[in-house]
Amino acid sequence: MGGMKKLINEPADVVSEALRGMGAAHPDRLKVDLENRIVYRKDAPRAGKVGLISGGGSGHEPMHGGFVGLGMLDAACAGEVFTSPVPDQMMAATKAVDTGAGVLHIVKNYTGDVMNFEMAAELAAADAGTEVLSVVTDDDVAVQDSLYTAGRRGVGVTVLLEKIVGAAAEEGRPLQEVADLAKRVNDNGRSMGMALTSCTVPAAGKPTFELAENEMELGIGIHGEPGRQRLPLAPAKEIAAMLVDPVLGDLPYQQGDSVIAFVNGMGGTPLLELYLMYNEVQQLLDRAGITVARSLVGNYITSLEMAGCSVTLLKVDDELVRLWDAPVNTPGLRWNA
Amino acid sequence: MGVENFTNWLRDAASTLHENAAYLTELDSAIGDADHGSNMDRGFAAVVAVLDEVSFESVDELMKKAGMTLVSKVGGASGPLYGTFFLRFGTALAGAEITPATVGEALKAGVGGILARGKAELGDKTMYDAWAPALDAYDDAVAGGADLGGALAAAAEAAAKGRDATTPLVARKGRASYLGERSAGHQDPGATSTTLLLESAARTLA
């Protein structure tokens, strides 16, 4: 492998310079606290509304900063690339968006993210008396035996959850109800991902793992970490089945279920291939007797320049579909607004 | 033995972690997410920046500030874990004379904080696999009449053995656990940084 080719200045400045650019590009929707590395909704705090905060390592754009705005998050805390943000950031964001209705932390299930958000919630409660509830997403079926692991990872369902729960918070629902809805979304969603290439963390300067020309990794997360299994490269049709089958079997999804079907790119795969994959996924769902109520195709929860994709299915009822359709206006997702 | 010695420990740890940043990140690339070295380096550089600006009256205030700085700057899992270690380590030394026995109690309190936050058990392939034998060796050395430097040297040696013993283990905590059996055959980055910290302590608190 050769050196790192990236559009950067200094590896140490990647996150702060990208945040500066995000603020400059979306002044109508966002305001960015560069010191604390927090992306806020332009009109935050919204009186009487439950505050929704997420955050995580950088390198997953548009998640999370790109999902800040009307109908989604009130604030997103950005960590270093693939590194959880710190409690100070989450505390600052929590205090800034709370108007007395309380705050929900949306946390992906990674050891560091969970620990830092836990510390922040403890500190915010002790310090400002802010009521904080948390939901931890853990939808990745690639991690099978949660007794002997850190538990399943939070991946694609996080995007769908932030949209749906964002709509509910926008309606003015109370904190507990918003948190219950978030848990329901997480409980009904499952994901599985694969990679065609690794990715390079700017500070590391070389790919996190090596994949030969004819190999792929099945069961990856979103941090460039290797997956559970290395396999020979296969046609898209077969890869789709490797992703959809374990997802379908896990909830399990049943004939007659309605789902939001989400084919997500890991950052380095063109939309052409993602739509091709969606075509395969839809056919598999048709065959299983599952109705696609809504779909989402694109790069939404990424792993730097990794090539590959993930499939997320979320079982939905009329209420979840209605919340999905509700207006959203963020840099990453926008409709009906 | 006082503030100056413990300041030296933190400064020495910072330079050791800086020198080993690429190595730690390489270990983390194999079974994690390639950020352990840069995170520890950034965190301890921030601790040094505090040391350059603030002078401390007591060891406990110094160590607590180091802990808070690590929590604020490191992120990931190692920020809360090492941050909690230094917070509890400092708290345990409040008002205490620095002796091999009180430092031993402080080490235990610090590692207790790591366990409370990380919920790891021995053999999970984490930093605890270096801390646990280090605490035992420290206590044995003190019981045998060792001074602080001697006890810390024994602890560092035991930590290194514990670190080496993580290589064949299958990870059950943290990001490496997602690899299942594939995590075996790689040395744990957290156990490695713990060993570096203890080796630094043995050098500077002698």
Side-chain angles (χ1 to χ4, degrees):
Chain A
M1 279 284 168
M4 167 170 65
K5 281 176 97 175
K6 286 184 188 291
L7 297 171
I8 63 173
N9 296 308
E10 290 299 324
D13 299 333
V14 168
V15 174
S16 53
E17 290 178 6
L19 285 173
R20 197 180 289 274
M22 216 175 161
H26 304 289
D28 52 329
R29 285 177 280 190
L30 306 179
K31 56 189 176 193
V32 179
D33 172 351
L34 288 169
E35 194 194 327
N36 288 306
R37 298 188 170 184
I38 302 168
V39 177
Y40 287 105
R41 183 173 160 164
K42 176 91 177 178
D43 56 358
R46 303 274 297 169
K49 175 185 172 301
V50 168
L52 292 191
I53 294 180
S54 192
S58 295
H60 307 304
E61 293 67 25
M63 191 182 75
H64 294 278
F67 298 142
V68 173
L70 173 93
M72 273 182 103
L73 301 175
D74 292 274
C77 307
E80 285 295 321
V81 174
F82 294 167
T83 298
S84 163
V86 298
D88 305 36
Q89 293 171 277
M90 297 153 184
M91 283 258 294
T94 300
K95 283 189 205 163
V97 305
D98 184 36
T99 55
V103 175
L104 180 70
H105 287 175
I106 300 169
V107 187
K108 302 188 298 303
N109 189 32
Y110 296 95
T111 309
D113 293 64
V114 171
M115 278 184 207
N116 283 284
F117 268 105
E118 267 176 18
M119 290 187 95
E122 286 166 19
L123 293 167
D127 195 42
T130 300
E131 195 183 354
V132 178
L133 294 179
S134 296
V135 61
V136 176
T137 60
D138 58 350
D139 52 308
D140 181 12
V141 304
V143 179
Q144 284 151 354
D145 193 348
S146 58
L147 196 62
Y148 295 107
T149 66
R152 288 182 161 178
R153 297 173 285 216
V155 286
V157 91
T158 315
V159 177
L160 309 183
L161 186 151
E162 287 176 0
K163 166 66 191 84
I164 287 170
V165 172
E170 205 71 53
E171 285 178 352
R173 295 196 199 180
L175 179 60
Q176 188 62 54
E177 208 175 299
V178 171
D180 290 346
L181 176 72
K183 184 166 185 325
R184 180 152 74 95
V185 171
N186 181 58
D187 289 348
N188 283 286
R190 296 289 189 277
S191 300
M192 179 82 167
M194 61 80 58
L196 298 168
T197 65
S198 181
C199 58
T200 299
V201 176
K206 56 185 182 182
T208 306
F209 60 94
E210 302 280 352
L211 267 179
E213 285 289 305
N214 58 348
E215 288 178 332
M216 63 181 189
E217 285 270 331
L218 187 66
I220 49 137
I222 52 170
H223 300 90
E225 69 268 52
R228 284 188 82 85
Q229 223 183 341
R230 187 158 297 188
L231 296 169
L233 189 57
K237 196 182 291 292
E238 290 169 30
I239 294 173
M242 288 178 211
L243 299 177
V244 170
D245 290 349
V247 167
L248 282 180
D250 195 88
L251 192 63
Y253 297 84
Q254 286 161 343
Q255 191 170 3
D257 281 350
S258 277
V259 298
I260 295 175
F262 173 26
V263 170
N264 173 62
M266 301 310 297
T269 287
L271 269 176
L272 183 76
E273 293 171 34
L274 295 179
Y275 277 115
L276 188 154
M277 282 299 289
Y278 183 79
N279 177 48
E280 299 294 346
V281 169
Q282 167 108 46
Q283 288 180 42
L284 290 167
L285 296 178
D286 285 349
R287 227 170 292 157
I290 288 167
T291 306
V292 176
R294 297 290 184 272
S295 62
L296 184 68
V297 180
N299 293 290
Y300 293 103
I301 168 169
T302 59
S303 190
L304 294 171
E305 77 278 30
M306 177 179 272
C309 72
S310 61
V311 172
T312 299
L313 298 181
L314 172 64
K315 185 174 161 180
V316 291
D317 55 16
D318 290 345
E319 186 203 13
L320 295 190
V321 172
R322 187 180 63 72
L323 292 168
W324 178 256
D325 289 341
V328 61
N329 185 356
T330 69
L333 276 185
R334 181 175 190 180
W335 55 72
N336 299 330
Chain B
M1 188 63 53
V3 170
E4 196 184 330
N5 308 77
F6 283 85
T7 303
N8 289 344
W9 177 25
L10 293 172
R11 286 187 184 278
D12 182 80
S15 69
T16 299
L17 287 164
H18 181 71
E19 282 160 25
N20 285 280
Y23 171 56
L24 290 171
T25 287
E26 194 180 315
L27 291 174
D28 196 27
S29 297
I31 56 172
D33 53 354
D35 64 0
H36 189 53
S38 51
N39 288 346
M40 293 299 284
D41 188 20
R42 187 178 61 251
F44 274 84
V47 170
V48 167
V50 171
L51 297 178
D52 288 343
E53 274 187 21
V54 187
S55 57
F56 293 87
E57 298 292 317
S58 65
V59 173
D60 64 292
E61 288 306 320
L62 168 70
M63 298 319 261
K64 280 193 275 188
K65 181 65 184 176
M68 280 311 292
T69 305
L70 292 176
V71 169
S72 299
K73 295 292 176 191
V74 177
S78 41
L81 292 173
Y82 280 121
T84 302
F85 170 82
F86 283 108
L87 276 169
R88 301 269 180 105
F89 181 89
T91 304
L93 286 174
E97 196 189 333
I98 305 297
T99 68
T102 57
V103 171
E105 288 308 309
L107 287 170
K108 261 184 226 125
V111 175
I114 289 173
L115 284 182
R117 196 64 59 208
K119 300 169 185 76
E121 290 173 24
L122 200 60
D124 281 351
K125 197 180 182 104
T126 70
M127 62 171 71
Y128 185 57
D129 293 333
W131 283 115
L135 291 183
D136 289 345
Y138 185 97
D139 282 350
D140 288 349
V142 172
D147 62 6
L148 182 57
L152 286 168
E157 200 177 316
K161 286 200 185 112
R163 169 201 67 197
D164 294 345
T166 60
T167 301
L169 297 175
V170 173
R172 288 188 297 219
K173 280 282 180 300
R175 235 166 244 180
S177 70
Y178 304 135
L179 286 167
E181 298 288 333
R182 287 172 76 186
S183 62
H186 300 280
Q187 183 178 312
D188 182 63
T192 308
S193 55
T194 290
T195 304
L196 291 170
L197 279 177
L198 284 168
E199 286 169 351
S200 169
R203 274 197 300 276
T204 51
L205 299 176

